[in-house]
Amino acid sequence: MTTLRKSGFVAAAVTGLLLSLSGAASAAEVLRIGTDGGAEPWTFTNSGGELIGYDIDVGNEICARISAECEWITTDWNGIFPALNLGKFDIIMAGVNVTDERKQSMDFTRSYAVSLSSFAAKEGSSLAAYQASVDVVNLDDMTPAAQAEIIALRAVMQDQSVGIQTGNNTVPFVEEFFGDLDLREYDKLETRDLDMQAERLDLGMAGESYWKKLATKEEVSVVAFGPKFGGGIIGGDIAAPMKQGRPELKASIDAALSSMVADGTLAELAVKWLGSDASPKK
């Protein structure tokens, strides 16, 4: 009986959320979604040139729940935020971390994933074997142990080169906490990864799920090391940015995402694409 009552409660909650999608914002015939298509497993193209990934599945499900047609627009990462503000699309779905800096110039939907970031190095290198003293460094709650770990990590990585995608939120993080590193920005993550493999680059930094996916590829042998970082300047919650001043659209998409949390859809998609349940729990 307990299971039936719980299932009935969840179903009622989902139904209520979906009914709330009947407002003006949900009546849009087309939802234009910007993505860069170059951040596996979030958004990338398969051998047939088709956009696939966690963001793509989540975006298509949003469109289904608000009775809109998805129009996916691929844009280079370094121009994706200006394109949003110019009105070229309604939202961005490209594994975007929510940060205080970004919230000053754009609005965000509710979170649809949680992603921590870490460094990685070529497999077999001395850096790849580094053992952290803490598992996660939360920049919103810098404990003495976390501060000590950053100092220790800074010492072993001193004067190394690190590659990060241009415009990524980890760029200001590295500049603030690891200023001794030789920071190199890349338009494409694939180019950065190949430079690591060829030992033209010592380190990379990206989301935990990105390194997990890369570890399954034969052409690049890199491994994440050290603690995972989240909070503060680096963020952690993944959400869809939108141009400021569109409250009805935000409410519509938020309701769709909340219904996907309630019925387990986000959890299933996270396991499928990210390798673990990285979905928000409420």
Side-chain angles (χ1 to χ4, degrees):
M1 293 299 293
T2 301
T3 302
L4 289 175
R5 285 197 297 269
K6 183 178 179 181
S7 298
F9 174 79
V10 171
V14 172
T15 301
L17 286 166
L18 292 176
L19 286 173
S20 71
L21 301 180
S22 60
S26 67
E29 293 183 359
V30 177
L31 182 67
R32 300 170 302 156
I33 307 178
T35 193
D36 71 328
E40 189 176 357
W42 298 89
T43 165
F44 61 108
T45 55
N46 61 18
S47 58
E50 177 189 13
L51 274 173
I52 59 174
Y54 181 69
D55 280 309
I56 310 305
D57 278 5
V58 173
N60 286 334
E61 184 65 21
I62 289 172
C63 288
R65 296 191 185 210
I66 66 173
S67 300
E69 177 186 347
C70 273
E71 179 184 345
W72 290 94
I73 302 170
T74 305
T75 302
D76 286 342
W77 174 260
N78 58 9
I80 203 165
F81 295 124
L84 175 70
N85 288 323
L86 288 173
K88 292 187 176 180
F89 27 77
D90 301 304
I91 63 173
I92 295 171
M93 297 195 73
V96 179
N97 276 277
V98 180
T99 65
D100 289 339
E101 181 181 3
R102 286 173 175 167
K103 287 193 289 187
Q104 294 176 12
S105 59
M106 62 191 82
D107 288 337
F108 283 87
T109 64
R110 62 150 297 157
S111 170
Y112 60 88
V114 178
S115 176
L116 301 178
S117 298
S118 61
F119 289 101
K122 186 175 180 179
E123 190 172 12
S125 69
S126 59
L127 286 170
Y130 175 83
Q131 296 294 317
S133 59
V134 298
D135 183 49
V136 176
V137 171
N138 182 355
L139 301 183
D140 292 321
D141 182 22
M142 286 285 284
T143 64
Q147 294 177 25
E149 174 56 36
I150 288 179
I151 292 171
L153 190 58
R154 187 184 296 141
V156 299
M157 297 195 309
Q158 188 173 14
D159 298 327
Q160 300 291 303
S161 57
V162 59
I164 301 175
Q165 188 174 35
T166 299
N168 191 275
N169 57 299
T170 53
V171 171
F173 164 76
V174 168
E175 291 173 337
E176 179 174 342
F177 290 93
F178 296 91
D180 290 337
L181 293 177
D182 174 15
L183 177 59
R184 303 178 187 177
E185 296 186 39
Y186 288 77
D187 288 338
K188 301 292 185 182
L189 289 174
E190 294 90 339
T191 306
R192 186 274 309 273
D193 299 338
L194 290 174
D195 276 357
M196 291 174 63
Q197 180 68 21
E199 300 183 359
R200 293 186 292 265
L201 183 71
D202 299 309
L203 307 167
M205 193 173 199
E208 180 183 14
S209 59
Y210 181 85
W211 297 129
K212 283 182 179 179
K213 192 67 177 180
L214 193 63
T216 65
K217 297 181 179 297
E218 295 182 359
E219 63 269 25
V220 179
S221 300
V222 300
V223 293
F225 69 90
K228 296 178 281 290
F229 297 91
I233 196 171
I234 205 170
D237 284 332
I238 302 295
M242 63 178 59
K243 195 172 182 179
Q244 291 179 333
R246 304 191 68 182
E248 291 184 349
L249 177 63
K250 173 175 165 55
S252 175
I253 294 175
D254 282 354
L257 288 170
S258 293
S259 72
M260 293 165 69
V261 172
D263 67 16
T265 299
L266 278 184
E268 292 178 7
L269 293 177
V271 171
K272 172 186 174 181
W273 289 108
L274 307 180
S276 62
D277 183 4
S279 66
K281 298 301 175 280
K282 60 180 181 178

